[in-house]
C-alpha cells in the first residue's frame, strides 16, 4: 500500500501508532506540551461538574495511559468506578504497570475499538475523554456523539478535550511550526521512534477544533457547551443528557 493510500483514521493504523509510542508517550507529551496537557486534563475534569452524590460510575473513552484519573479521583473521590476503553494494548499495559495500583479496584479495562466494545446503553453517570477526538474522521466523530448519548443515563455528564488548530491566533504559524516541524525533529533526534509522534500535528490540523463535534452532540440530543483553552490550542465540549 502506498503512503498516499494509507487511511490514518483506520483503527488498525491508530492502534499501531499508539502501541509503538506508548513507552515514551507520557514523557513526550508532558515535555513537549510544556505541561499544558496536564492543565487541560484538569480543566476537562472540572468541566465534568459531577454531583457529589457518591456511587457514580462512568467511562474514560480513548483512555490511553489514564493520566486523567488522578484528576478525576482527586476532584470526585466519591466516584465508585470507571471503565477505561482504549484500542492500544501498549497504552493499556503501561496504564496497568505504572498507574494507579492503589486504584485498581476502581478501574476496569476494555481493550477494544470504542465502536466495537458493546458498552451497555444508559449505563454511565459520566463520560470523560482527553486527547482522543483527533484520531477520528467526520463519520467516526458523529458515531462517537451518538454513542455518548446512548451510554449516558438521563442527567449524566460528559466532558471531552482535544489539542486543536488555533485558527485566528496571531501566533498560529509558530504553533504549527512547533507541531509539524519541531516535534518530529525532537522525536527523530532523541526518541529514535518510527515518527509516530509526528502524526500529532497532522491529526490536530485535520481535526481543527471541537465545534463540529459539539454540533454533533447537540444533534444527538445532548446539552452542550463549547470552550476554547489557551487561544484555541485546545478546545473542549461538556454538558449533560436531559
Amino acid at each position: 500500500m502506498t503512503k498516499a493510500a494509507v487511511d490514518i483514521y483506520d483503527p488498525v493504523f491508530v492502534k499501531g501508532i499508539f502501541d509503538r509510542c506508548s513507552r515514551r508517550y507520557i514523557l513526550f507529551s508532558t515535555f513537549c506540551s510544556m505541561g499544558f496537557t496536564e492543565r487541560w486534563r484538569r480543566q476537562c475534569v472540572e468541566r465534568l461538574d459531577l454531583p457529589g452524590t457518591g456511587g457514580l460510575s462512568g467511562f474514560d473513552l480513548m483512555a490511553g495511559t489514564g493520566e486523567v484519573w488522578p484528576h478525576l479521583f482527586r476532584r470526585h473521590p466519591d466516584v465508585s468506578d470507571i471503565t477505561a476503553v482504549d484500542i492500544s494494548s501498549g497504552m493499556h499495559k503501561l496504564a496497568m504497570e505504572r498507574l494507579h495500583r492503589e486504584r485498581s479496584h476502581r478501574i476496569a479495562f476494555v481493550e477494544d475499538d470504542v465502536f466495537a466494545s458493546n458498552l451497555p446503553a444508559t449505563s454511565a453517570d459520566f463520560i470523560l475523554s482527553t486527547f482522543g477526538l483527533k484520531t477520528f474522521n467526520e463519520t467516526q466523530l458523529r458515531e462517537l456523539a451518538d454513542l455518548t448519548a446512548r451510554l449516558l443515563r438521563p442527567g449524566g455528564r460528559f466532558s471531552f478535550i482535544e489539542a486543536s488548530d488555533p485558527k485566528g491566533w496571531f501566533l498560529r504559524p509558530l504553533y504549527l511550526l512547533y507541531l509539524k516541524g519541531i516535534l518530529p525533529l525532537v522525536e527523530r533526534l532523541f526518541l529514535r521512534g518510527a515518527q509516530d509522534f509526528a502524526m500529532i500535528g497532522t491529526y490536530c490540523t485535520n481535526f481543527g477544533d471541537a465545534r463540529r463535534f459539539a454540533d454533533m452532540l447537540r444533534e444527538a440530543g445532548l446539552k452542550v457547551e463549547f470552550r476554547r483553552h489557551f487561544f484555541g490550542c485546545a478546545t473542549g465540549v461538556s454538558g449533560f443528557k436531559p
Side-chain angles (χ1 to χ4, degrees):
M1 181 180 292
T2 65
K3 185 175 181 180
V6 172
D7 178 6
I8 66 172
Y9 299 102
D10 182 273
V12 175
F13 183 85
V14 174
K15 173 178 168 57
I17 286 178
F18 288 100
D19 281 348
R20 288 189 297 272
C21 72
S22 58
R23 283 290 169 186
R24 291 159 295 185
Y25 180 81
I26 294 173
L27 175 63
F28 183 87
S29 64
T30 301
F31 174 76
C32 290
S33 73
M34 296 173 286
F36 274 98
T37 51
E38 278 304 291
R39 178 180 180 181
W40 292 334
R41 288 187 183 100
R42 175 177 54 79
Q43 291 172 331
C44 183
V45 169
E46 289 171 355
R47 300 300 300 168
L48 195 58
D49 193 25
L50 292 177
T53 56
L56 300 178
S57 63
F59 297 106
D60 181 8
L61 303 182
M62 297 77 73
T65 56
E67 291 162 278
V68 75
W69 303 335
H71 299 290
L72 176 67
F73 289 126
R74 189 178 303 118
R75 187 172 180 85
H76 300 289
D78 52 350
V79 166
S80 62
D81 62 90
I82 185 168
T83 300
V85 184
D86 198 277
I87 197 171
S88 169
S89 53
M91 299 294 258
H92 262 340
K93 183 178 180 183
L94 183 58
M96 288 185 282
E97 285 180 353
R98 74 165 284 275
L99 285 178
H100 332 301
R101 287 188 178 92
E102 73 279 11
R103 304 183 187 94
S104 60
H105 63 291
R106 300 167 74 180
I107 301 167
F109 290 89
V110 175
E111 185 183 310
D112 204 351
D113 177 355
V114 69
F115 301 126
S117 52
N118 295 318
L119 304 176
T122 60
S123 61
D125 295 303
F126 64 90
I127 291 175
L128 186 66
S129 185
T130 57
F131 309 116
L133 294 178
K134 63 180 173 292
T135 60
F136 292 143
N137 61 25
E138 191 90 2
T139 300
Q140 292 166 330
L141 285 173
R142 192 169 299 279
E143 189 174 352
L144 180 63
D146 292 338
L147 177 66
T148 300
R150 182 175 66 83
L151 294 179
L152 285 173
R153 298 185 177 108
R157 310 287 306 187
F158 64 88
S159 184
F160 295 76
I161 200 164
E162 185 55 84
S164 303
D165 184 348
K167 294 179 181 177
W169 188 33
F170 76 99
L171 290 179
R172 177 177 179 258
L174 291 179
Y175 178 74
L176 294 183
L177 174 64
Y178 179 71
L179 281 180
K180 293 192 169 186
I182 296 176
L183 294 191
L185 181 63
V186 169
E187 181 188 36
R188 188 161 60 250
L189 293 179
F190 300 106
L191 297 180
R192 299 180 183 177
Q195 296 189 331
D196 293 308
F197 289 109
M199 289 299 301
I200 292 174
T202 299
Y203 280 125
C204 286
T205 52
N206 287 358
F207 175 71
D209 63 32
R211 292 180 194 273
R212 291 173 301 133
F213 186 55
D215 291 337
M216 294 172 186
L217 290 166
R218 292 187 186 102
E219 291 168 7
L222 303 177
K223 298 295 184 181
V224 184
E225 181 178 350
F226 169 83
R227 177 164 294 211
R228 288 161 52 92
H229 300 268
F230 195 69
F231 305 100
C233 292
T235 54
V237 290
S238 60
F240 65 96
K241 180 177 181 177

